[in-house]
Amino acid sequence: MLKDKVAIVTGASRGIGKSIAINFARQGSKVVLNYRSDDNGAETTKQEIEQNGGVAILHKGDVSDFYVAEELMNFCKEKFSRIDILVNNAGITRDALVMRMKEEDFDSVINVNLKGSFNCAKHASSIMLRQKSGKIINISSVIGIIGNAGQVNYAASKAGIIGMTKSLAKELGSRGINVNAIAPGFIETDMTDVLGDNVKETILSHIPLKKMGKTEDVSNLAVFLASNMSDYITGQVITVDGGMVM
Ligand code: NAP
């Protein structure tokens, strides 16, 4: 589905980003694997792709830095001559009730999740505009739709991504660039491993399919949104959440 495409996946050293990168490569895309600190995780993603005959290169850098994001896009363009797909997946949480949330907890989550997505979309879109084609996929969250106690910062960042997705879709649609968001529910990764058993039980009670999602549940949709199969879909927010939000 992605034969000869070139993709950048941010936050590809583990979790959902790793699964998206591996799934893209399986479908024939060359992949730039961005990550911030986890060298072993990023190398493992790269090796898994290469063992299956795919092509992947690593890019270590913090996407919340405007110039690092620009350098990531230029790096991809230099290595592979183009950027067909950008997945803004890098994300963090710093949960606390608002009374206890520190200013730096708010700023860091907004900087990585929202500003990082803006930085990458801005620099990638200038290359995609010249190509007159591209697919941007932003990883939001159901929390950006329904909110969550203890996640004022995270919910704001993920709601911001939804507004940014729709605005970018309107700006870039006439130039052949599709922009969509995926809003995962509760997916089994390091990010959700830290939740206590009773929190998990409460969450499961609100999920009609009565199970947490797997990273492949998200990456399968990412493949579809990155492929020509979704050419007439833009500005959408698609939940992958076992029916939790409907
Ligand atoms: P994860 O396992 O914690 O992985 C996060 C990834 O983001 C890592 O590869 C990490 O790289 C990278 N990253 C963090 N800050 C970065 C930065 N400043 N620059 C570049 N890379 C950075 O998280 P996940 O569960 O896979 O989540 C991936 C995305 O899905 C996030 O946007 C998250 O908000 C969203 N999401 C997840 C769930 C869920 O249930 N898991 C639900 C809804 C939405 P290093 O480790 O190398 O620093």
Side-chain angles (χ1 to χ4, degrees), residues 1-162:
M1 284 170 79
L2 304 177
K3 194 168 179 304
D4 299 327
K5 302 280 187 196
V6 174
I8 298 172
V9 182
T10 68
S13 57
R14 55 202 160 87
I16 291 170
K18 175 178 180 176
S19 177
I20 291 173
I22 289 173
N23 215 336
F24 278 11
R26 202 180 290 141
Q27 298 296 331
S29 178
K30 300 184 185 87
V31 194
V32 177
L33 311 171
N34 160 266
Y35 67 106
R36 181 170 54 180
S37 56
D38 183 359
D39 297 321
N40 288 339
E43 189 55 45
T44 307
T45 309
K46 183 174 185 286
Q47 279 172 13
E48 280 186 40
I49 288 173
E50 288 173 347
Q51 276 157 14
N52 289 314
V55 177
I57 51 174
L58 299 181
H59 177 278
K60 184 175 184 175
D62 180 348
V63 293
S64 69
D65 184 317
F66 189 75
Y67 298 100
V68 169
E70 182 175 33
E71 195 259 323
L72 167 61
M73 302 310 144
N74 291 339
F75 175 74
C76 180
K77 178 100 167 61
E78 274 159 30
K79 294 282 177 193
F80 296 131
S81 315
R82 50 190 296 112
I83 305 172
D84 297 301
I85 304 153
L86 166 67
V87 183
N88 281 315
N89 165 79
I92 59 168
T93 51
R94 295 283 181 276
D95 298 351
L97 293 172
V98 70
M99 293 292 286
R100 289 195 209 109
M101 187 173 287
K102 297 193 187 99
E103 185 186 7
E104 70 224 42
D105 296 331
F106 188 85
D107 288 347
S108 59
V109 169
I110 296 292
N111 279 339
V112 175
N113 299 6
L114 182 57
K115 184 160 176 267
S117 300
F118 163 76
N119 290 343
C120 292
K122 176 174 168 60
H123 295 303
S125 62
S126 76
I127 293 169
M128 289 174 173
L129 281 167
R130 274 177 257 140
Q131 293 169 182
K132 296 192 171 52
S133 69
K135 305 266 192 181
I136 299 176
I137 301 165
N138 296 321
I139 307 298
S140 177
S141 166
V142 291
I143 301 305
I145 302 171
I146 59 171
N148 194 23
Q151 292 198 303
V152 160
N153 49 1
Y154 185 77
S157 74
K158 295 299 184 178
I161 285 176
I162 291 174

